[in-house]
Amino acid sequence: MTYFKEKGNTMVITTKDILLRTRPILLVSHDFEDGMWEFLDGDDVDENNACIVSLDEILRIDGSLNALHDLPLGWIAYRNDINDVWKRGRDVNGSQLTNNSKNVDL
C-alpha cells in the first residue's frame, strides 16, 4: 500500500546500487521545479549509476519511504542509516544532494 499521491508507475530517479540492494536509501528529494522524486544513497551520483524506475519499485525496496509521501516540493529527507528516523528540511542546495554536503533549512 502506498500513501503517495503519485501513481505507482510514476518515474523516479535512483541508482543501480540501490536497485541491486548494495546501498540503502538515505536521501530523498522532491524537486521544486519538476516534482521529480529522487531516492539516493547520499553519495554523489555518477550518471553511469543513475537510473529511472517506477515509484512502486522503489517502495518495494524500502517500505519506510511511505512516511515521506507528503514531503513538499523543494524539500529533502535524510537519515544516517536505515535504522534512523527520517529528518526533513527545505532543500537549499537545489539538486546538489549528498549526505556529506546536504544543506537544509529546518
Side-chain angles (χ1 to χ4, degrees), residues 26-86:
L26 301 177
L27 184 62
V28 176
S29 168
H30 196 187
D31 189 72
F32 180 78
E33 292 181 9
D34 62 11
M36 188 74 150
W37 287 92
E38 297 179 28
F39 298 91
L40 307 171
D41 60 19
D43 289 337
D44 290 329
V45 179
D46 179 298
E47 67 182 44
N48 294 321
N49 193 27
C51 57
I52 296 178
V53 299
S54 71
L55 179 59
D56 279 346
E57 186 168 358
I58 207 75
L59 291 174
R60 280 192 293 273
I61 292 171
D62 186 345
S64 78
L65 297 170
N66 267 311
L68 304 176
H69 74 277
D70 59 350
L71 191 69
L73 292 172
W75 281 55
I76 65 170
Y78 61 95
R79 58 189 178 179
N80 292 321
D81 64 55
I82 60 170
N83 297 313
D84 279 350
V85 174
W86 287 103

Side-chain angles (χ1 to χ4, degrees), residues 29 31 74-76 89-97 103-105:
S29 168
D31 189 72
W75 281 55
I76 65 170
R90 190 178 324 273
D91 178 16
V92 296
N93 273 344
S95 297
Q96 308 303 314
L97 299 176
N103 192 2
V104 296
D105 183 14

